[in-house]
Amino acid sequence: TVPVYGAPGTKQERTFIAIKPDGVQRGLVSEIIGRFEKKGYKLVGMKMINPTKAQAEEHYADLSSKPFFNGLVKYFTSGAVVCLVFEGKGVIKGGRVLVGATNPSDANPGSIRGDFCVDISRNLIHGSDGPESAKAEISMWFKDSEITQWNFITPVYE
Ligand code: UDP
Ligand code: MG
């Protein structure tokens, strides 16, 4: 079995996806999870939480010097968040494609941000941006026991 954060570069690559409070409150949980499921990524971790300020600050630690940091922490802690781990071939990069560009006005139609939001500070969803952040974020938000291994009978990729 792979570590909780998966094995980047293999079909057990994993990424951390969070549906931010605006996504939950706008009723987009099923839409967002559905897009990842239908693409063929395997859902292996799922929980709903109210993030603490400390968790938000840790999650976004590398942005702490940015002018929008305090607003970002307020936004992320303003309501319930759905935390997800998806697994699959190329899921870190492919997940970012499903998410779309950070600024919704640059996000392509067909992406989650491109289809459902307009404001960079209310952009619905988080997705790990590379293998290091995926490792750090999955390890931060999920315990080993919260990841569930299961198998496709008919694989959608080899
Ligand atoms: N953000 C913001 N204003 C900015 C840039 C980013 O409010 O000018 C927020 C936005 O919610 C974004 C998050 O900070 O999703 C993290 O920024 P990052 O550059 O990591 O974008 P992401 O990886 O989410 O696309
Ligand atoms: Mg980021």
Side-chain angles (χ1 to χ4, degrees):
T1 61
V2 299
V4 62
Y5 53 83
T10 76
K11 58 186 173 183
Q12 283 190 299
E13 181 168 309
R14 290 178 181 164
T15 195
F16 174 70
I17 300 294
I19 305 174
K20 294 172 176 177
D22 50 338
V24 173
Q25 290 167 35
R26 290 181 51 200
L28 292 170
V29 170
S30 59
E31 173 74 35
I32 290 171
I33 293 176
R35 287 180 176 219
F36 280 82
E37 280 192 294
K38 283 175 252 181
K39 171 75 174 173
Y41 297 134
K42 190 199 283 190
L43 181 57
V44 297
M46 172 162 65
K47 63 181 175 182
M48 190 174 218
I49 56 153
N50 284 109
T52 64
K53 186 162 179 273
Q55 283 175 315
E57 287 170 350
E58 183 181 345
H59 174 73
Y60 283 121
D62 36 335
L63 299 174
S64 61
S65 63
K66 302 284 185 192
F68 58 82
F69 183 69
N70 288 341
L72 174 59
V73 169
K74 261 199 167 159
Y75 163 47
F76 202 76
T77 57
S78 66
V81 165
V82 175
C83 297
L84 305 164
V85 178
F86 283 98
E87 178 182 289
K89 193 178 201 174
V91 70
I92 299 173
K93 204 170 163 202
R96 290 286 296 194
V97 175
L98 294 186
V99 168
T102 304
N103 191 332
S105 43
D106 298 328
N108 291 323
S111 70
I112 292 162
R113 287 168 173 166
D115 285 349
F116 298 117
C117 60
V118 293
D119 186 339
I120 193 168
S121 66
R122 295 289 183 273
N123 62 358
L124 294 175
I125 180 167
H126 168 83
S128 304
D129 68 3
E132 270 113 70
S133 61
K135 179 177 178 176
E137 291 166 4
I138 295 168
S139 307
M140 188 205 135
W141 290 105
F142 282 85
K143 298 182 214 166
D144 289 36
S145 60
E146 292 174 325
I147 300 293
T148 303
Q149 309 254 15
W150 58 276
N151 294 315
F152 289 116
I153 303 303
T154 307
V156 293
Y157 45 75
E158 287 304 332

